[in-house]
């Protein structure tokens, strides 16, 4: 039967950051949580608030939710009674004590110039002048001592002004006053900027909760620390889509099903605490799915999950069905996962990547019109599909750095164009299931992710496999400590949480010699630090190999240009 409804379209924005907090002292090793919070998370909420006719799905990783709360409390405590700020970059707006050691001073200046050159630095002439003054430090870091504390204060203020969301910049007179001042910022100016940042951090989650309670937004969740569930359950799942993939020597991840359940349950608990409701949907980490993983999601009560187009293509081909390019009527619908699994939606990779990677250089109206044109073509090709739906799924964080004004013009035009088009029903996955439950069953999934429909981004190369072997060894030490009765009560809870951080997907994403060397070094160092902390919690000596790096990057673009969380361009 032909569909009489307008074409249902779902925009799903995934928000995630790994845990950057030092497991020993709680200091933040990288600043991406608070920077994306004051820029992207607030802007994405504001654009929806300003477009009441639009709807979207917003997915949160629970470790991100916890870190946003922690940052908000940090700033509140500093402003209230001077408690230390535990992020060194954020602390540049605090007491005004800067390092005197030349290496530390040069590293801080480098961090405070890490922003998109064309979209942020060039936009503000005072910021550009400061960055240009600091440029020689790349070759001569010893010259950092000749740049004064006033230089560092001005640079810190402009760095944070550059990262502030566009909707905030346009509305907050305090920020406009700071921009007009331009230089020679005082400590009271820094405190004023911290007050703005504190308000933004404290308001992020309540704003999304209000959008959900109004029915405009559906909130969904990822298992707690963003693990690749199918690989926890079976490392061999990687060979379903890549039969010849080299795997770690270990047969599998010990106790993987128990750990997968732990991540699901803890993730739900954090989500309910933050938003006061239980989600019905899940974007598994990296869209990583398998039959076993989706069965666990179904047992946990999830009504829907979502993944990438490549997974569906591989699954249909294995079932003997055609999944060719063209109109793709096989893609633009949901499927029932049997037996007993949730319904599954599949990302339209072409449309999603247009938003993520292409439209940033277009005029906003042209980009929105082009997307609508593609959707109108899909509408014509799928009128015979009663349960049709188009799923556009991508990061809600990274793409906007490459757009003018943090994507404000494009997002406004996008929401307006889709909400006002009579042939399009901008909806959510939950609403779509209620209006048109999936008619087709998919008896089995070929395990894979949103990246190429495989797990090659996280396993199958020497450095990635080495990371897994290190994690397996740590898990065996954890299991032995449990068996010996050394972990119980609060200590067991701390050990489980620390193990969960080590099980996150981001570490493995970055390992590999095709990734930028600086980013590889950051994440490799953090991974070893998290593993050492796990050994400390369980009362075991950490292996000596955790004291030295095991991988390095080459500076080549990761995976054909697929962006990863939080690493901005510096030039």
């Amino acid at each position: 039967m032909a569909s009489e409804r307008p074409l249902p379209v779902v925009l799903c924005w995934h928000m995630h950051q790994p845990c950057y907090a030092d497991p020993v002292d709680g200091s933040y090793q990288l600043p991406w949580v608070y920077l994306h919070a004051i820029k992207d998370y607030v802007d994405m909420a504001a654009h929806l608030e300003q477009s009441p006719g639009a709807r979207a799905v917003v997915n949160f990783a629970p470790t991100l939710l916890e870190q946003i709360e922690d940052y908000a409390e940090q700033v509140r405590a500093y402003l209230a009674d001077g408690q230390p700020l535990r992020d060194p970059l954020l602390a540049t707006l605090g007491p005004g004590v800067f390092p005197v050691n030349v290496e530390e001073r040069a590293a801080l200046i480098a961090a405070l110039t890490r922003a998109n050159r064309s979209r942020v630095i060039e936009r503000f002439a005072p910021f550009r002048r400061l960055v240009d003054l600091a440029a020689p430090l790349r070759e001569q870091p010893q010259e950092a001592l000749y740049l004064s504390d006033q230089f560092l204060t001005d640079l810190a203020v402009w760095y944070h002004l550059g990262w502030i969301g566009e909707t905030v910049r346009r509305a907050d007179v305090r920020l406009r006053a700071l921009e007009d001042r331009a230089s020679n910022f005082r400590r009271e100016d820094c405190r004023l900027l911290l007050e703005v940042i504190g308000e933004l951090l404290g308001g992020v989650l309540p704003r999304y909760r209000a959008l959900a309670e109004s029915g405009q937004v559906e909130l969904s969740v990822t298992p707690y620390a963003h693990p690749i569930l199918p690989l926890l359950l079976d490392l061999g799942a990687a060979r379903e889509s890549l039969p010849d993939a080299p795997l770690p020597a270990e047969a599998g991840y010990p106790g993987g099903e128990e750990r997968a359940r732990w991540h699901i349950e803890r993730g739900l608990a954090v989500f309910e605490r933050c938003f006061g409701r239980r989600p019905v949907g899940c974007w598994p980490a990296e869209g990583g799915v398998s039959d076993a993983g989706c069965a666990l999601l179904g047992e946990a009560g999830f009504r829907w999950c979502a993944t990438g187009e490549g997974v569906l293509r591989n699954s249909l081909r294995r079932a003997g069905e055609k999944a060719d390019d063209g109109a793709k009527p096989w893609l633009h619908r949901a499927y029932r996962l049997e037996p007993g699994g949730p319904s599954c939606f599949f990302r339209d990779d072409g449309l999603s990547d247009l938003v993520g990677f292409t439209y940033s250089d277009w005029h906003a109206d042209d980009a929105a019109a082009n997307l609508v044109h593609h959707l109108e073509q899909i509408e014509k090709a799928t009128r015979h599909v009663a349960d049709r739906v188009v799923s556009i799924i991508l990061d809600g964080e990274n793409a906007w750095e490459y757009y003018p004004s943090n994507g404000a013009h494009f997002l406004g035009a996008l929401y307006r164009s889709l909400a006002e088009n009579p042939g399009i029903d901008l909806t959510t996955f939950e609403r779509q299931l209620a209006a048109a439950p999936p008619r087709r069953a998919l008896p089995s999934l070929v395990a894979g992710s949103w990246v190429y429909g495989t797990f090659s981004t996280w396993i199958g190369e020497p450095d990635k496999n080495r990371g897994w072997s290190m994690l397996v060894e740590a898990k065996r030490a954890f299991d032995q400590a449990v068996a010996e009765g050394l972990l119980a009560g609060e200590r067991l809870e701390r050990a489980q949480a620390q193990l969960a951080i080590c099980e996150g997907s981001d570490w493995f994403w970055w390992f590999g010699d095709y990734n930028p060397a600086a980013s590889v070094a950051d994440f490799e160092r953090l991974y070893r630090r998290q593993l050492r902390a796990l050994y400390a919690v369980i009362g075991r000596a950490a292996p000596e190999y955790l004291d030295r790096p095991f991988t390095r990057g080459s500076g080549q673009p990761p995976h054909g240009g697929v962006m990863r969380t939080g690493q901005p361009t510096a030039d």
Side-chain angles (χ1 to χ4, degrees):
M1 185 178 77
S3 175
E4 297 180 358
R5 296 174 58 211
L7 176 69
V9 175
V10 177
L11 297 174
C12 178
W13 309 113
H14 171 51
M15 315 294 201
H16 116 258
Q17 299 284 345
C19 182
Y20 296 120
D22 184 277
V24 177
D25 63 13
S27 63
Y28 280 83
Q29 304 295 297
L30 292 170
W32 310 124
V33 166
Y34 90 87
L35 292 176
H36 280 294
I38 65 175
K39 183 171 80 75
D40 305 301
Y41 307 149
V42 297
D43 267 1
M44 294 298 279
H47 291 309
L48 285 162
E49 292 164 348
Q50 295 165 8
S51 305
R55 291 193 178 92
V57 176
V58 180
N59 187 86
F60 280 102
T63 47
L64 170 59
L65 296 174
E66 290 180 330
Q67 290 177 97
I68 291 173
E69 292 179 315
D70 184 52
Y71 268 107
E73 175 57 24
Q74 275 188 68
V75 178
R76 186 207 64 77
Y78 172 79
L79 294 173
D81 52 21
Q83 292 295 311
L85 293 164
R86 289 180 282 106
D87 187 302
L89 217 57
L90 185 61
T92 59
L93 299 177
V97 179
F98 297 110
V100 295
N101 175 279
V102 64
E103 289 82 7
E104 293 178 359
R105 199 172 182 91
L108 177 61
I109 292 171
L112 288 171
T113 60
R114 193 175 296 143
N116 187 289
R117 179 81 194 197
S118 62
R119 299 303 191 194
V120 177
I121 295 173
E122 295 287 348
R123 181 179 179 183
F124 304 105
F127 191 16
R128 184 186 68 246
R129 286 195 294 271
L130 294 168
V131 171
D132 289 344
L133 281 171
L137 299 183
R138 296 181 183 178
E139 303 297 329
Q140 298 175 306
Q142 69 276 8
E143 301 294 321
L145 290 179
Y146 294 103
L147 296 175
S148 68
D149 282 3
Q150 183 63 59
F151 173 88
L152 282 169
T153 298
D154 286 4
L155 184 60
V157 170
W158 272 110
Y159 179 78
H160 287 91
L161 287 174
W163 270 89
I164 290 283
E166 185 67 19
T167 59
V168 184
R169 184 189 320 284
R170 294 177 178 182
D172 197 310
V173 295
R174 295 169 295 179
L175 297 181
R176 292 203 295 273
L178 290 175
E179 291 182 11
D180 290 341
R181 182 175 178 83
S183 63
N184 293 314
F185 293 109
R186 304 156 298 186
R187 299 320 302 172
E188 53 263 40
D189 297 319
C190 295
R191 184 179 179 88
L192 178 65
L193 186 50
L194 265 179
E195 290 174 358
V196 174
I197 289 172
E199 292 169 11
L200 296 176
L201 291 167
V204 168
L205 302 187
R207 291 173 75 175
Y208 282 100
R209 180 169 180 165
L211 284 165
E213 290 172 348
S214 73
Q216 189 178 356
V217 163
E218 177 186 357
L219 296 176
S220 59
V221 74
T222 298
Y224 176 70
H226 213 265
I228 306 291
L229 290 187
L231 296 181
L232 290 187
L233 295 170
D234 178 12
L235 292 178
R239 285 184 170 158
E240 290 189 30
S241 56
L242 289 176
D244 297 326
L247 295 182
E250 292 76 13
Y253 187 67
E257 181 174 339
E258 180 183 2
R259 292 303 301 160
R261 292 182 186 276
W262 188 96
H263 280 275
I264 292 170
E265 293 168 4
R266 176 62 67 91
L268 285 168
V270 172
F271 183 97
E272 289 187 77
R273 176 177 56 75
C274 289
F275 298 119
R277 63 176 64 192
R278 193 176 181 89
V280 302
C282 175
W283 170 254
E286 309 296 358
V289 295
S290 65
D291 287 337
C294 289
L296 290 184
L297 296 179
E299 290 177 20
F302 287 107
R303 294 186 56 219
W304 67 261
C305 64
T307 183
E309 177 179 326
V311 172
L312 179 58
R313 189 188 302 272
N314 291 339
S315 302
L316 291 176
R317 285 176 176 169
R318 185 170 71 177
E321 298 187 37
K322 288 186 65 175
D324 298 325
D325 292 328
K328 300 183 182 180
W330 48 271
L331 172 62
H332 299 126
R333 66 191 312 166
Y335 291 76
R336 301 192 313 275
L337 300 183
E338 297 185 336
S343 297
C344 192
F345 295 87
F346 295 91
R347 178 183 189 264
D348 186 309
D349 288 349
L351 297 184
S352 303
D353 289 347
L354 283 173
V355 177
F357 302 110
T358 301
Y359 288 150
S360 58
D361 293 326
W362 291 35
H363 188 282
D365 292 336
D366 292 339
N370 182 261
L371 185 63
V372 168
H373 170 74
H374 285 294
L375 291 171
E376 289 173 343
Q377 297 303 113
I378 293 171
E379 195 282 326
K380 294 175 184 176
T382 59
R383 286 177 182 171
H384 63 289
V385 182
D387 56 349
R388 62 185 180 165
V389 59
V390 178
S391 302
I392 299 174
I393 306 172
L394 66 152
D395 275 356
E397 304 158 314
N398 287 316
W400 317 124
E401 176 193 346
Y402 300 88
Y403 279 75
S405 303
N406 205 42
H409 307 299
F410 170 73
L411 286 164
L414 176 70
Y415 285 136
R416 185 168 56 252
S417 298
L418 296 180
E420 296 176 358
N421 190 306
I424 293 173
D425 176 21
L426 196 54
T427 187
T428 67
F429 290 132
E430 184 177 14
R431 285 174 174 266
Q432 173 64 12
L433 289 180
R439 300 189 174 198
R440 289 195 61 185
L442 195 62
S444 179
L445 287 169
V446 173
S449 76
W450 75 276
V451 186
Y452 312 136
T454 75
F455 292 121
S456 62
T457 304
W458 301 274
I459 197 169
E461 295 180 352
D463 288 339
K464 299 179 190 297
N465 290 349
R466 177 61 176 147
W468 276 102
S469 294
M470 292 160 65
L471 179 60
V472 168
E473 184 173 353
K475 178 57 163 60
R476 287 172 177 162
F478 170 91
D479 290 342
Q480 185 178 5
V482 171
E484 294 174 2
L486 301 179
L487 300 178
E490 189 271 339
R491 186 178 179 187
L492 175 59
E493 290 182 7
R494 284 196 297 121
Q496 288 176 324
Q498 184 59 37
L499 175 61
I501 298 304
C502 298
E503 292 166 336
S505 71
D506 288 85
W507 319 118
F508 305 98
W509 172 290
W510 285 105
F511 301 157
D513 61 6
Y514 45 76
N515 275 321
S519 296
V520 173
D522 283 341
F523 280 85
E524 190 267 351
R525 173 179 53 82
L526 277 170
Y527 183 58
R528 289 185 289 112
R529 198 175 185 95
Q530 298 291 357
L531 285 173
R532 278 198 300 269
L534 174 61
Y535 281 101
V537 173
I538 65 177
R540 292 284 193 270
E544 290 185 3
Y545 59 68
L546 292 180
D547 294 329
R548 54 186 182 271
F550 68 93
T551 184
R552 59 189 296 271
S554 68
Q556 298 302 310
H559 298 283
V562 176
M563 291 185 292
R564 174 38 77 224
T565 301
Q567 302 296 313
T569 56
D571 35 55

